Amino acid sequence: ASATSMARLVRAALMRGGTSKGVVFRAADLPPAGAARDAVIVAALGPDSTGLAIDGVGGGVTSTLKAAVVAPPSKPGFAADYHFAQVSRGGGIDWRSSCANFASAAALVAADDGMALREADGSAVVRLWASGAGEALSVTLPATDAPPVAIAGVRGEAPPLRVEFELGGHALLPTGRPEEEGLRLGDRPLRATIVDVAGNPQVLVRAVEGGLRGDEAAEAATAALVWEAVDAAAAPHSKSPSL
């Protein structure tokens, strides 16, 4: 075992939101936004060059290296601010996007702090301001008797949370085209669609474009083909450094 010379206890919740996992903090428990706050979050998740995150609670892929900071609302009409942080395996941190999966985890923490609007049917709504994307979203928490559901990639069942983005000023098709043109993956033409979901660019690529069927196991070779195709489509339009 090892210990740092200066230890500090910070209240946090280790949570899963959809197919994402990470840590949710309350702003009052952290230093102000900046390098000190970033250091706490990166230390908590513990990314390293091995991809194992031995000295932290994160994982080896970006979907398990996420964090959220829940803060009192900075805008009227919202329950809370949702500051989403994507941490890379190399220890970098990016605050400029959002994550619908992890918004559900942030909403649960906000609701636990009394920030939810209760509905007559027993459900509750938490309206969040996603500061990185500059967009609004609403998370509906189910009533206690809601039937459980299952989602791909997650073991077991749980009551569903519904996340709804308000598109605001973002164009659904940021390039104005339903299908990108002139892209290539190696020596083959590549068809792809780029959509903007509340400030989060998403690249949709058909499995066949990467030489896949679509039902392969998530192994390294398969992932490499998928990411090569996504990178080829996204590179001309990317605004953020690669994670």
PDB file of all heavy atoms in Angstrom, residues 5 16 23-24 61 75 85 91 121 134 140 143 168 171 185 232 241:
ATOM      1  N   SER A   5       1.551  12.200   1.003  1.00  0.00           N
ATOM      2  CA  SER A   5       1.914  12.916   2.220  1.00  0.00           C
ATOM      3  C   SER A   5       0.824  13.859   2.681  1.00  0.00           C
ATOM      4  O   SER A   5       0.768  14.211   3.847  1.00  0.00           O
ATOM      5  CB  SER A   5       3.215  13.698   1.973  1.00  0.00           C
ATOM      6  OG  SER A   5       3.034  14.618   0.904  1.00  0.00           O
ATOM      7  N   ARG A  16     -23.115   4.650 -11.515  1.00  0.00           N
ATOM      8  CA  ARG A  16     -23.308   4.322 -12.920  1.00  0.00           C
ATOM      9  C   ARG A  16     -24.487   5.108 -13.446  1.00  0.00           C
ATOM     10  O   ARG A  16     -25.513   5.211 -12.787  1.00  0.00           O
ATOM     11  CB  ARG A  16     -23.587   2.821 -13.115  1.00  0.00           C
ATOM     12  CG  ARG A  16     -23.900   2.469 -14.575  1.00  0.00           C
ATOM     13  CD  ARG A  16     -24.242   1.004 -14.735  1.00  0.00           C
ATOM     14  NE  ARG A  16     -25.462   0.612 -14.057  1.00  0.00           N
ATOM     15  CZ  ARG A  16     -26.697   0.797 -14.528  1.00  0.00           C
ATOM     16  NH1 ARG A  16     -26.885   1.420 -15.693  1.00  0.00           N
ATOM     17  NH2 ARG A  16     -27.747   0.395 -13.835  1.00  0.00           N
ATOM     18  N   VAL A  23     -17.588   9.356 -11.046  1.00  0.00           N
ATOM     19  CA  VAL A  23     -17.736   9.941  -9.716  1.00  0.00           C
ATOM     20  C   VAL A  23     -18.506  11.255  -9.831  1.00  0.00           C
ATOM     21  O   VAL A  23     -18.239  12.069 -10.715  1.00  0.00           O
ATOM     22  CB  VAL A  23     -16.359  10.195  -9.070  1.00  0.00           C
ATOM     23  CG1 VAL A  23     -16.522  10.744  -7.657  1.00  0.00           C
ATOM     24  CG2 VAL A  23     -15.541   8.908  -9.035  1.00  0.00           C
ATOM     25  N   VAL A  24     -19.469  11.438  -8.946  1.00  0.00           N
ATOM     26  CA  VAL A  24     -20.237  12.678  -8.883  1.00  0.00           C
ATOM     27  C   VAL A  24     -19.851  13.429  -7.613  1.00  0.00           C
ATOM     28  O   VAL A  24     -19.881  12.867  -6.514  1.00  0.00           O
ATOM     29  CB  VAL A  24     -21.754  12.413  -8.902  1.00  0.00           C
ATOM     30  CG1 VAL A  24     -22.517  13.738  -8.867  1.00  0.00           C
ATOM     31  CG2 VAL A  24     -22.150  11.602 -10.126  1.00  0.00           C
ATOM     32  N   VAL A  61     -11.373   2.549 -19.987  1.00  0.00           N
ATOM     33  CA  VAL A  61     -11.980   3.141 -21.180  1.00  0.00           C
ATOM     34  C   VAL A  61     -12.678   4.435 -20.792  1.00  0.00           C
ATOM     35  O   VAL A  61     -12.996   4.659 -19.615  1.00  0.00           O
ATOM     36  CB  VAL A  61     -12.984   2.170 -21.846  1.00  0.00           C
ATOM     37  CG1 VAL A  61     -12.267   0.948 -22.383  1.00  0.00           C
ATOM     38  CG2 VAL A  61     -14.069   1.758 -20.863  1.00  0.00           C
ATOM     39  N   LYS A  75     -28.562  29.658 -13.654  1.00  0.00           N
ATOM     40  CA  LYS A  75     -29.588  30.247 -14.502  1.00  0.00           C
ATOM     41  C   LYS A  75     -30.961  29.972 -13.915  1.00  0.00           C
ATOM     42  O   LYS A  75     -31.186  28.898 -13.328  1.00  0.00           O
ATOM     43  CB  LYS A  75     -29.520  29.654 -15.926  1.00  0.00           C
ATOM     44  CG  LYS A  75     -28.244  29.999 -16.687  1.00  0.00           C
ATOM     45  CD  LYS A  75     -28.229  29.316 -18.056  1.00  0.00           C
ATOM     46  CE  LYS A  75     -27.012  29.712 -18.860  1.00  0.00           C
ATOM     47  NZ  LYS A  75     -27.056  31.143 -19.256  1.00  0.00           N
ATOM     48  N   ALA A  85     -17.154  16.257 -16.758  1.00  0.00           N
ATOM     49  CA  ALA A  85     -15.723  16.154 -17.048  1.00  0.00           C
ATOM     50  C   ALA A  85     -15.418  14.792 -17.645  1.00  0.00           C
ATOM     51  O   ALA A  85     -15.754  13.762 -17.045  1.00  0.00           O
ATOM     52  CB  ALA A  85     -14.896  16.357 -15.780  1.00  0.00           C
ATOM     53  N   GLY A  91      -4.702  11.046 -18.390  1.00  0.00           N
ATOM     54  CA  GLY A  91      -4.840  11.981 -17.279  1.00  0.00           C
ATOM     55  C   GLY A  91      -5.305  13.363 -17.674  1.00  0.00           C
ATOM     56  O   GLY A  91      -5.388  14.249 -16.829  1.00  0.00           O
ATOM     57  N   ASP A 121     -47.624  11.805 -10.309  1.00  0.00           N
ATOM     58  CA  ASP A 121     -47.584  10.342 -10.459  1.00  0.00           C
ATOM     59  C   ASP A 121     -46.456   9.695  -9.662  1.00  0.00           C
ATOM     60  O   ASP A 121     -46.221   8.488  -9.753  1.00  0.00           O
ATOM     61  CB  ASP A 121     -47.448   9.955 -11.940  1.00  0.00           C
ATOM     62  CG  ASP A 121     -46.142  10.461 -12.563  1.00  0.00           C
ATOM     63  OD1 ASP A 121     -45.360  11.135 -11.864  1.00  0.00           O
ATOM     64  OD2 ASP A 121     -45.918  10.184 -13.758  1.00  0.00           O
ATOM     65  N   GLY A 134     -23.334  23.965 -22.989  1.00  0.00           N
ATOM     66  CA  GLY A 134     -24.175  25.148 -23.062  1.00  0.00           C
ATOM     67  C   GLY A 134     -25.605  24.825 -23.435  1.00  0.00           C
ATOM     68  O   GLY A 134     -26.230  25.527 -24.214  1.00  0.00           O
ATOM     69  N   THR A 140     -35.958  12.693 -15.988  1.00  0.00           N
ATOM     70  CA  THR A 140     -37.145  12.251 -15.260  1.00  0.00           C
ATOM     71  C   THR A 140     -36.799  11.004 -14.458  1.00  0.00           C
ATOM     72  O   THR A 140     -36.372   9.984 -15.030  1.00  0.00           O
ATOM     73  CB  THR A 140     -38.302  11.938 -16.224  1.00  0.00           C
ATOM     74  OG1 THR A 140     -38.623  13.122 -16.972  1.00  0.00           O
ATOM     75  CG2 THR A 140     -39.541  11.499 -15.456  1.00  0.00           C
ATOM     76  N   ALA A 143     -41.163   6.824 -10.681  1.00  0.00           N
ATOM     77  CA  ALA A 143     -41.819   6.548  -9.403  1.00  0.00           C
ATOM     78  C   ALA A 143     -41.255   5.252  -8.830  1.00  0.00           C
ATOM     79  O   ALA A 143     -40.669   4.432  -9.549  1.00  0.00           O
ATOM     80  CB  ALA A 143     -43.323   6.425  -9.610  1.00  0.00           C
ATOM     81  N   GLY A 168     -31.797  23.616 -28.509  1.00  0.00           N
ATOM     82  CA  GLY A 168     -31.369  25.014 -28.505  1.00  0.00           C
ATOM     83  C   GLY A 168     -30.899  25.460 -29.877  1.00  0.00           C
ATOM     84  O   GLY A 168     -31.534  25.215 -30.892  1.00  0.00           O
ATOM     85  N   ALA A 171     -27.535  22.837 -34.582  1.00  0.00           N
ATOM     86  CA  ALA A 171     -28.111  22.166 -35.733  1.00  0.00           C
ATOM     87  C   ALA A 171     -27.905  20.671 -35.577  1.00  0.00           C
ATOM     88  O   ALA A 171     -26.816  20.218 -35.215  1.00  0.00           O
ATOM     89  CB  ALA A 171     -27.454  22.653 -37.019  1.00  0.00           C
ATOM     90  N   LEU A 185     -11.673   5.102 -45.784  1.00  0.00           N
ATOM     91  CA  LEU A 185     -11.096   4.282 -44.730  1.00  0.00           C
ATOM     92  C   LEU A 185     -10.124   3.336 -45.423  1.00  0.00           C
ATOM     93  O   LEU A 185     -10.523   2.345 -46.027  1.00  0.00           O
ATOM     94  CB  LEU A 185     -12.165   3.497 -43.982  1.00  0.00           C
ATOM     95  CG  LEU A 185     -11.674   2.585 -42.852  1.00  0.00           C
ATOM     96  CD1 LEU A 185     -10.941   3.384 -41.797  1.00  0.00           C
ATOM     97  CD2 LEU A 185     -12.842   1.822 -42.228  1.00  0.00           C
ATOM     98  N   ALA A 232     -11.730   8.850 -39.088  1.00  0.00           N
ATOM     99  CA  ALA A 232     -11.696   9.285 -40.485  1.00  0.00           C
ATOM    100  C   ALA A 232     -12.866  10.203 -40.800  1.00  0.00           C
ATOM    101  O   ALA A 232     -12.739  11.180 -41.551  1.00  0.00           O
ATOM    102  CB  ALA A 232     -11.716   8.067 -41.411  1.00  0.00           C
ATOM    103  N   PRO A 241      -9.638  18.219 -28.706  1.00  0.00           N
ATOM    104  CA  PRO A 241      -8.529  17.269 -28.809  1.00  0.00           C
ATOM    105  C   PRO A 241      -9.007  15.861 -28.540  1.00  0.00           C
ATOM    106  O   PRO A 241      -9.951  15.634 -27.806  1.00  0.00           O
ATOM    107  CB  PRO A 241      -7.572  17.737 -27.707  1.00  0.00           C
ATOM    108  CG  PRO A 241      -8.429  18.478 -26.746  1.00  0.00           C
ATOM    109  CD  PRO A 241      -9.518  19.130 -27.563  1.00  0.00           C
TER     110      PRO A 241
END
